[in-house]
Amino acid sequence: MSDGIRRFAAVLILVAGAALLWLAGRHSNDAGAAKDDLDSTVAYAREHAASSDPRLKATYSFDRGGWVYVHLEGDPATIGFQHGYMLAKEIEDAFPAVQAGMVHSTQRDWAFFRQIAREMLWPKIDPEYQQELQGIAEGLNARTGSQLDVYDIVALNSFEEVPDYYVPWLNKKEKLTGAPNLKSPGNCSAFVATGTWTKNGQIVIAHNNWTSYMDGERWRIIFDIQPAHGYRILMDGFPGVIASDDDFGINSDGLMVAETTITQFEGWDPNGKPEFFRARKALQYAGSIDEYTRIMLDGNNGGYANDWLLGDRKTGEIAQLELGLKAYKLWRTKDGVFAGSNWARDPKVLKIDTPQFDPNDMTSSPNARRVRWEQLLNENKGKIDVSLAQQMLADHVDSFEKKNGANERTLCGHVETSTRGVSLWEWGAFYPGGAVQGKAVDSAMAKDMRLVARTGHPCGEDFLAKPFLAAHPEFAWQEPYLRDMIAGPWTEFHSGEMPAAMN
Ligand SMILES: [Zn+2]
């Protein structure tokens, strides 16, 4: 008997013994402790058996600077299996938090989201991404025995588009009385600059992610994806989700991508393709601004409507794709800057996709940050580089009150400090949300597939859950999920990076 077979046989015996004891334990009243032992034996045996799965040969992960870096490699099903297996702990931690948020805000149960995932979203997803999503559920199950299936995973992937875009559209269509007042989110502050605007003429792109802290504290995965088809990807992301989703990423053909959402966007096309799938496909297959635009427009469902900030390091050109549902606009330049902080600017998009948004209300978070971006970028024209971008993401100037101090109007948002909250997004006073992490990259780094990223507020301040919940009992429903959000150091990652022990 070889060592490998001997080990396998030992595991089999363990599993069989455990199963017998477990069956016996079901008929015994004082078998609790024994059952716990058996559960852990079964879990160990399952994990041990799965760890020799050939699909896991090329994957690895490590922790650094508060991030979990995971390398995924292979065909779609393999990439998915690796994702579910390697990030099983993070998915099982994040899933209940996302689920609680979706159910709480929409007053719909989880069965509703599973049904939408199965009937509306799944049939519109390309087979290769269906295989990847299926793989995530399988990898997760192999590691932990999780009962989450592929429709739970698809519903999780849709957490930025179904609750805040589809459900309000549905409520309106069904003329539902007493429906919650759902608003599309206003996530993120970002810019992309090129030409005479930057220190050495190359592209600089930077982004901080705004979400609830409950979700955002978990938005700390660095995905290094080497797919069998398409371009290599380096992006930040969320456990169990196939797109970056906040979004920030680069690919090996020179695309540099970020976005900020369009505030007060309204609309949904039930026949369209899910946004999370289009966004992932675009980062994997687009080698130019035109290709990126084409993929995002193909089957646009209106979900998670964003202003996409794009750069192509091969040409030095940057672009802003304002992707409404009924209208869209693409601006592009080889010498200029585009910024985003959740406002639309094309008159047609403003008129027909965001009819309620007031671009002239300078007290609002999107418009106040727009003014601040203009000030900062103009003041620093010709000097912009990655290190300056990091400082900009951490900026605490309130352009409306013209003073320094973090709140809902600053590029590094701290809405929990604000008595006003952000009513445009239904974030009430002291809402525990704001900037939850930041990333930046320039053309030279993108060429080497490198980026820098920081967990937590880009300014370095920590958010502490316990004192916050004590002061704001109205958010007690988040208590099981809301954790301290500790700022990590700015940390560099690159594609193909190995953990220290493997070097
Ligand atoms: Zn800050």
Side-chain angles (χ1 to χ4, degrees), residues 234-292:
L234 186 67
M235 66 184 195
D236 79 314
F238 195 85
V241 175
I242 65 170
S244 165
D245 224 27
D246 62 331
D247 286 72
F248 190 85
I250 55 178
N251 77 24
S252 57
D253 202 43
L255 259 275
M256 303 154 81
V257 176
E259 50 83 353
T260 70
T261 48
I262 300 176
T263 293
Q264 290 184 305
F265 178 89
E266 296 174 25
W268 180 270
D269 180 355
N271 299 312
K273 300 174 182 177
E275 189 275 346
F276 71 82
F277 143 62
R278 288 180 292 121
R280 165 57 190 282
K281 183 176 178 177
L283 191 57
Q284 185 169 342
Y285 286 101
S288 68
I289 289 165
D290 288 316
E291 284 174 13
Y292 196 93

Side-chain angles (χ1 to χ4, degrees), residues 102 106 112-113 116 120-121 125 154-169 182-185 187 219 241-243 245 261 265 267-269 272-280 296 299-306:
M102 289 167 77
T106 60
F112 167 83
F113 292 104
I116 298 305
M120 183 166 59
L121 307 179
I125 299 172
V154 173
L156 169 69
N157 273 261
S158 76
F159 82 111
E160 290 290 358
E161 57 193 297
V162 166
D164 294 329
Y165 295 81
Y166 171 65
V167 177
W169 175 86
L182 294 163
K183 295 279 167 60
S184 61
N187 292 353
W219 217 305
V241 175
I242 65 170
D245 224 27
T261 48
F265 178 89
W268 180 270
D269 180 355
K273 300 174 182 177
E275 189 275 346
F276 71 82
F277 143 62
R278 288 180 292 121
R280 165 57 190 282
M296 291 309 294
N300 179 12
N301 67 345
Y304 202 28
N306 290 312

Side-chain angles (χ1 to χ4, degrees), residues 75-279:
D75 59 51
T78 300
I79 282 178
F81 187 83
Q82 294 168 352
H83 181 165
Y85 187 91
M86 299 303 283
L87 297 180
K89 183 167 63 96
E90 288 77 13
I91 294 170
E92 290 205 325
D93 170 63
F95 183 85
V98 170
Q99 186 180 41
M102 289 167 77
V103 168
H104 181 88
S105 71
T106 60
Q107 297 168 26
R108 305 263 181 171
D109 62 15
W110 190 247
F112 167 83
F113 292 104
R114 281 179 50 85
Q115 186 186 356
I116 298 305
R118 188 175 63 243
E119 293 175 4
M120 183 166 59
L121 307 179
W122 179 257
K124 323 275 185 359
I125 299 172
D126 283 0
E128 79 167 277
Y129 299 105
Q130 289 182 339
Q131 289 159 19
E132 186 170 326
L133 291 157
Q134 185 73 50
I136 293 173
E138 283 172 22
L140 177 61
N141 176 271
R143 183 77 178 260
T144 70
S146 165
Q147 294 303 301
L148 297 180
D149 70 10
V150 69
Y151 300 118
D152 293 311
I153 299 298
V154 173
L156 169 69
N157 273 261
S158 76
F159 82 111
E160 290 290 358
E161 57 193 297
V162 166
D164 294 329
Y165 295 81
Y166 171 65
V167 177
W169 175 86
L170 181 69
N171 289 344
K172 199 172 170 185
K173 188 168 135 255
E174 293 181 339
K175 298 191 172 59
L176 203 65
T177 51
N181 190 12
L182 294 163
K183 295 279 167 60
S184 61
N187 292 353
C188 315
S189 302
F191 78 88
V192 59
T194 193
T196 57
W197 286 77
T198 62
K199 195 173 175 180
N200 55 15
Q202 62 178 327
I203 297 171
V204 177
I205 188 168
H207 176 272
N208 69 32
N209 174 2
W210 285 47
T211 65
S212 70
Y213 297 151
M214 186 171 77
D215 291 344
E217 189 271 332
R218 293 166 164 90
W219 217 305
R220 46 193 178 82
I221 312 296
I222 299 289
F223 285 99
D224 169 32
I225 309 179
Q226 190 174 346
H229 303 286
Y231 302 116
R232 182 107 178 218
I233 293 169
L234 186 67
M235 66 184 195
D236 79 314
F238 195 85
V241 175
I242 65 170
S244 165
D245 224 27
D246 62 331
D247 286 72
F248 190 85
I250 55 178
N251 77 24
S252 57
D253 202 43
L255 259 275
M256 303 154 81
V257 176
E259 50 83 353
T260 70
T261 48
I262 300 176
T263 293
Q264 290 184 305
F265 178 89
E266 296 174 25
W268 180 270
D269 180 355
N271 299 312
K273 300 174 182 177
E275 189 275 346
F276 71 82
F277 143 62
R278 288 180 292 121

Side-chain angles (χ1 to χ4, degrees), residues 208 213 393-396 406-407 410-414 435 456-461:
N208 69 32
Y213 297 151
L393 295 179
D395 189 75
H396 282 177
N407 61 31
T410 52
L411 293 174
C412 181
H414 297 238
H457 285 304
C459 61
E461 287 178 18

